[in-house]
Amino acid sequence: MQINPSISKSAQFGNLRFPVREDYVKYFLDSGVVATEKDLWKSDKFVSLIHRHWHGEGRNGCIFALLAARKPDEIGWKDFVVTGSIDEIESGDTETLLKNLITLAISDPNCQVLSLLFSNIYTDNDLVRLIRFLLNMDIVKLVDEQEIDDLVTLSLRIPLNSDNVLSWLMAFGPYDYFPQTRQSPITEVAIRVKTKPDIQFHRLNKDNFAAHLADLPLEYKDEVMEKTWENTLKRTRYILGEEPNQFSAAKTTFILPIKIWKSLI
């Protein structure tokens, strides 16, 4: 199944339009493939399809990600859907499941990126509880927390090997305080599960102790990489409505209002 281009697209940035969570719900209900919204967000198949479609539409600003999302199997971009509520996530065996899944992805030669999709996490309270749940996992490290005006930025990392190479986690989700390029229909934590390749595009970060989503090897010619890089910067600025900053930067995993972040302390 593919999502038809006729899907409603409620988010608009100039001449660019993108679907939001409610648009996907309406599309699937109108198509008759699910009877209720609950059925949609409980379906691994449909959640994965929505995830790939949203990234493939390019709202995250990165054209490299857009291209990768359109051929995820070839690239090695895998996803895992967690359909449980936050109560179910906290009380079940989800922690062990995710730790094993991440460990396997790191060792899997065919996996470059692992996206964890939490389809029934969509409220402020759920998000805070999910972040604290992740931070209670011994493989997830909070390396930086900064308060800027009324917002807080959180930088989460996962060690990839014994040499202390750290994967920079990137989060997306249906939260209006996320940067526009991170406002996706599904709460997602994307993890780069491989260290940097031997040959890299010259504009990428060269810190070998940091693993970024941008390190994903796409194997395009240099002139294509250069043009795609330039277009990514333009598209990102266009969607953000400003220059990329600390809130939208790859080093930041989550951004929340301080009062929301501290609501469960």
Side-chain angles (χ1 to χ4, degrees), residues 45-192:
K45 175 184 176 182
F46 293 147
V47 170
S48 178
L49 179 63
I50 291 170
H51 164 251
R52 295 182 181 191
H53 180 268
W54 184 84
H55 281 289
E57 290 285 283
R59 181 172 172 178
N60 67 25
C62 179
I63 297 177
F64 295 105
L66 180 156
L67 296 170
R70 293 179 178 180
K71 51 179 182 179
D73 295 334
E74 179 181 335
I75 293 297
W77 186 353
K78 301 186 178 184
D79 61 61
F80 183 80
V81 181
V82 180
T83 60
S85 67
I86 190 61
D87 288 337
E88 293 169 324
I89 290 171
E90 291 175 337
S91 62
D93 60 356
T94 305
E95 178 176 349
T96 299
L97 176 65
L98 294 184
K99 285 171 62 176
N100 290 340
L101 187 70
I102 293 168
T103 300
L104 288 173
I106 292 172
S107 62
D108 181 357
N110 296 314
C111 185
Q112 295 287 338
V113 174
L114 174 65
S115 285
L116 304 178
L117 308 178
F118 301 91
S119 59
N120 280 293
I121 302 298
Y122 54 89
T123 69
D124 296 339
N125 182 72
D126 287 352
L127 178 63
V128 171
R129 289 170 64 183
L130 177 66
I131 295 171
R132 297 202 181 281
F133 169 83
L134 294 172
L135 291 175
N136 281 331
M137 296 171 57
D138 56 16
I139 62 171
V140 178
K141 315 296 182 184
L142 177 62
V143 300
D144 189 52
E145 177 177 347
Q146 294 189 34
E147 295 184 2
I148 304 171
D149 297 326
D150 61 344
L151 299 171
V152 60
T153 62
L154 307 170
S155 299
L156 278 61
R157 305 288 185 262
I158 289 178
L160 293 183
N161 56 28
S162 59
D163 295 329
N164 202 35
V165 175
L166 298 178
S167 173
W168 292 21
L169 279 59
M170 184 174 287
F172 303 85
Y175 309 99
D176 58 11
Y177 41 79
F178 275 19
Q180 289 290 351
T181 51
R182 303 280 194 97
Q183 291 187 27
S184 71
I186 300 163
T187 297
E188 171 187 1
V189 177
I191 309 168
R192 170 72 172 148

Side-chain angles (χ1 to χ4, degrees), residues 201 218-226:
F201 180 51
L218 294 175
E219 299 181 354
Y220 294 123
K221 293 182 179 179
D222 287 347
E223 57 268 27
V224 175
M225 293 290 290
E226 196 71 43

